[in-house]
Amino acid sequence: MDLKLKGKVAMVAASSKGLGYGIAEALAQEGASLSIGSRTEKEIETVAEKLRRETGISVLANVLDSSNPQSIQKWTDATIKEFKGIDKLVINAGGPPAGKFEDFSDEDWQEAFELNLFSAIRMIRATLPSMRKRGGGCVLTVTSMSVKEPIDVLILSNVMRSGVTSLVKSLSAQLASDNIRLNNLMPGRINTDRIRSLDSMNSEKMGVSIEQIQEASYNNIPMGRYGTIEEFGRCGAFLLSDAASYITGSSLAVDGGALKTVW
Ligand SMILES: NC(=O)c1ccc[n+]([C@@H]2O[C@H](COP(=O)([O-])OP(=O)(O)OC[C@H]3O[C@@H](n4cnc5c(N)ncnc54)[C@H](OP(=O)(O)O)[C@@H]3O)[C@@H](O)[C@H]2O)c1
């Protein structure tokens, strides 16, 4: 199947490692031109060089803070200057801190809003004119399976990602006539630094080994393991491609069967 991603211009936020990197790598393997961004300059430059070397594609490395409006605008402007337009946008960022309702102040809620929901609004707003000008485009967000099954200790994440899902659903109807599709990927537990650090935090808190924590997690996943960033990235490339041309406003779970809901 030809995904028809060759030569398409894709912006991928929060992509020096983890889920964002997985999507960037899959797009690079399909021949897309990339504009990648994250906060640490050295790490994003290193990843850009690796992708250029391994796939021969053009990669623009950017310092990006997804929670900062000026940074998003700068990233968008630099991408348009380099590649003359934008076809695909991947919205991603770090995750908000874990904790329960009474642990968080107004400031914590505001920060989570800027990082995980307002970032999506701002990135779509910044890139829309270019997608329209090119006759269409595609947006993909990274949310979480917690949208369907809230996770007890991740209340900030649960709430913001539900907002993103609603934003995407609303815009999918408004922008279909502009040939712009928007979808979400809902990771379950994909083996990234964030998951490793959450497991290590729990192992310290509960006084058991990290292997015991992982084993307990695996027992809640029908496939009995965490996903890989490659498996996650391939799903992203599919939803961003013409192979998914009739899919918009949808959320795809990449969770090894962990979600217990029917829909
Ligand atoms: N992994 C999972 O199974 C899973 C499940 C559910 C939800 N999620 C969510 O998916 C997102 C990505 O998670 P991950 O597991 O890939 O995390 P990760 O392995 O820690 O990678 C995070 C990436 O995002 C970048 N980043 C962090 N904050 C940023 C910001 N404000 N602006 C721009 N880039 C930023 C990091 O680079 P810098 O630090 O240099 O910026 C890094 O490249 C998070 O929101 C997480 O909560 C992950």
Side-chain angles (χ1 to χ4, degrees):
M1 179 162 52
D2 180 5
L3 295 186
K4 297 200 172 69
L5 286 166
K6 207 171 165 63
K8 297 289 182 193
V9 178
M11 295 172 67
V12 188
S15 48
S16 65
K17 62 180 181 175
L19 305 182
Y21 175 76
I23 298 174
E25 186 184 43
L27 292 172
Q29 287 165 351
E30 293 297 323
S33 300
L34 292 184
S35 177
I36 57 176
S38 61
R39 291 168 306 174
T40 317
E41 186 167 12
K42 193 165 176 287
E43 287 183 17
I44 200 73
E45 291 283 3
T46 305
V47 160
E49 191 42 46
K50 177 178 187 288
L51 292 173
R52 283 184 207 114
R53 199 178 51 246
E54 288 176 357
T55 64
I57 60 150
S58 302
V59 188
L60 181 68
N62 304 264
V63 174
L64 167 74
D65 181 350
S66 297
S67 65
N68 179 303
Q70 287 82 29
S71 183
I72 292 171
Q73 195 56 53
K74 203 171 153 205
W75 177 41
T76 309
D77 294 344
T79 306
I80 293 173
K81 187 163 179 243
E82 178 79 12
F83 295 116
K84 315 286 175 255
I86 300 152
D87 301 302
K88 319 279 176 188
L89 167 68
V90 179
I91 297 168
N92 188 27
K100 297 212 166 194
F101 182 65
E102 283 166 319
D103 297 333
F104 296 119
S105 63
D106 279 9
E107 214 175 37
D108 297 321
W109 279 97
Q110 191 63 41
E111 275 175 21
F113 170 66
E114 298 277 340
L115 181 67
N116 295 113
L117 175 51
F118 215 169
S119 57
I121 295 167
R122 287 170 173 148
M123 285 182 195
I124 294 169
R125 201 163 48 198
T127 55
L128 207 50
S130 177
M131 288 189 189
R132 277 209 174 103
K133 219 165 153 182
R134 282 160 88 93
C138 196
V139 176
L140 180 69
T141 82
V142 176
T143 60
S144 167
M145 68 180 250
S146 72
V147 167
K148 295 216 170 188
E149 239 182 74
I151 299 170
D152 206 22
V153 294
L154 288 177
I155 189 160
L156 295 176
S157 172
N158 299 340
V159 173
M160 297 310 153
R161 297 185 198 287
S162 294
V164 171
T165 307
S166 184
L167 172 74
V168 160
K169 192 72 188 171
S170 307
L171 289 179
S172 67
Q174 288 180 32
L175 298 177
S177 56
D178 290 311
N179 195 28
I180 296 173
R181 296 185 298 107
L182 302 94
N183 293 293
N184 311 293
L185 275 183
M186 299 184 293
R189 277 180 105 74
I190 311 294
N191 195 7
T192 65
D193 283 359
R194 175 167 164 89
I195 291 299
R196 286 186 284 276
S197 86
L198 286 174
D199 283 349
S200 139
M201 212 173 70
N202 285 333
S203 106
E204 272 170 40
K205 208 161 76 187
M206 294 164 75
V208 298
S209 72
I210 192 158
E211 287 76 21
Q212 283 170 294
I213 294 288
Q214 285 168 342
E215 211 46 55
S217 279
Y218 296 164
N219 287 337
N220 288 321
I221 304 171
M223 290 184 75
R225 63 175 177 87
Y226 291 164
T228 67
I229 60 169
E230 290 78 14
E231 288 173 312
F232 188 81
R234 285 197 294 271
C235 298
F238 164 69
L239 283 176
L240 287 163
S241 78
D242 281 1
S245 53
Y246 200 52
I247 303 179
T248 194
S250 285
S251 288
L252 175 66
V254 187
D255 68 345
L259 265 180
K260 291 179 182 64
T261 54
V262 174
W263 298 107

